[in-house]
Amino acid sequence: MFAYVNGIRIFYEKTGKGKPMILVHGNEEDHRIFDDASELLKKNYTLYLVDSRGHGQSDRVKEYFYQDMCNDMIELIEQLQLHDITFVGSSDGAIIGMLLASQHPEIITNLVLAGPNTRPDGVIPEVYQEMKDIYRKTKNPLVKMMLEQPHITNKELKQIKARTLVLAGSDDLISLDHIKKITNHIPHCQLMILEGEDHSSYIIHSEKIAKIILKELK
């Protein structure tokens, strides 16, 4: 299905039954990364699997900003008249989730952040250098966004009222020290470091993320 938000067209898939859960993917991915997880989650939640702007079937734009992606999500939530939301964000989706939950704390009840970062330098140095090399060759505006954004302050994190679960792989491309600092500033927050997992191995076409959510949010 498509929704028109902030002058562009956003694609989302709706499935399942129960309270609403929004799932948002990472950079240069789309909603299909949650296909395996959604088979388990849809038994307990009405799922809204969203392609953020510039991804999947959603419209492309010239420049990308996490705040615009957050604004898209806010307008989509308003159009769908959703309440008591569980928001699950992976990587870029986690950034969107932090912005959304800090700016509109009344909307989100549960927040799951997988591999979040609040600043570009939250990415480990060798991966950040790889991204710079990729951008130099491709001029991909989505990569440019990761190199320059986000800039979420500790004060903003403290505005989050949702019950929050932060997930990270032991081999994550986000610094674990950075992730731990994030959890220290979100009021109602639990951190789980998943041994043997990387930034997205437990998410992309995996049931692991669903099993964690169902266990921790029950």
Side-chain angles (χ1 to χ4, degrees):
M1 290 180 275
F2 289 94
Y4 288 87
V5 298
N6 299 317
I8 65 167
R9 192 176 63 160
I10 292 290
F11 177 84
Y12 69 95
E13 180 180 311
K14 179 183 177 183
T15 185
K17 59 182 180 180
K19 291 183 178 181
M21 175 182 285
I22 298 173
L23 298 99
V24 182
H25 56 82
N27 200 286
E28 298 196 88
E29 299 167 352
D30 62 37
H31 74 280
R32 293 175 298 176
I33 69 166
F34 295 111
D35 280 355
D36 289 5
S38 65
E39 289 301 310
L40 297 181
L41 293 170
K42 70 182 182 181
K43 299 172 185 177
N44 295 273
Y45 296 92
T46 300
L47 306 181
Y48 297 86
L49 302 125
V50 183
D51 287 345
S52 56
R53 59 169 59 199
H55 298 78
Q57 299 180 54
S58 294
D59 286 348
R60 272 64 177 158
V61 295
K62 290 183 178 180
E63 289 186 282
Y64 293 93
F65 301 92
Y66 289 118
Q67 185 61 55
D68 289 342
M69 293 178 173
C70 173
N71 294 342
D72 294 342
M73 208 60 56
I74 292 165
E75 194 162 324
L76 179 64
I77 288 168
E78 290 175 348
Q79 288 186 23
L80 297 175
Q81 298 182 318
L82 302 182
H83 305 279
D84 195 10
I85 297 165
T86 296
F87 186 99
V88 179
S90 171
S91 195
D92 277 17
I95 294 170
I96 296 167
M98 288 185 288
L99 290 171
L100 175 59
S102 64
Q103 295 170 16
H104 296 270
E106 74 286 354
I107 293 177
I108 307 300
T109 302
N110 297 296
L111 181 64
V112 180
L113 306 172
N117 64 298
T118 56
R119 304 187 311 273
D121 63 5
V123 178
I124 59 176
E126 53 266 39
V127 173
Y128 189 81
Q129 184 59 51
E130 288 175 9
M131 292 193 302
K132 288 175 68 176
D133 293 340
I134 291 170
Y135 180 68
R136 192 178 302 114
K137 294 175 182 177
T138 66
K139 302 302 181 185
N140 184 335
L142 288 167
V143 176
K144 183 174 187 283
M145 178 176 67
M146 291 191 293
L147 291 172
E148 298 177 350
Q149 303 171 48
H151 296 284
I152 300 172
T153 66
N154 294 337
K155 182 179 179 181
E156 288 174 296
L157 292 177
K158 285 181 168 64
Q159 300 301 315
I160 295 174
K161 305 300 183 190
R163 176 187 176 196
T164 303
L165 174 63
V166 174
L167 304 173
S170 59
D171 300 316
D172 213 296
L173 60 80
I174 307 297
S175 161
L176 294 183
D177 284 342
H178 181 75
I179 290 175
K180 289 173 183 175
K181 288 177 182 176
I182 291 173
T183 64
N184 289 338
H185 289 94
I186 297 176
H188 309 288
C189 189
Q190 174 189 357
L191 171 64
M192 289 183 64
I193 296 177
L194 308 174
E195 288 300 323
E197 303 290 350
D198 61 27
H199 189 57
S200 55
S201 56
Y202 59 100
I203 298 167
I204 297 178
H205 306 305
S206 174
E207 293 183 346
K208 291 180 182 178
I209 182 72
K211 291 177 179 177
I212 292 168
I213 290 170
L214 292 172
K215 179 182 178 181
E216 298 300 323
L217 298 189
K218 66 182 180 181

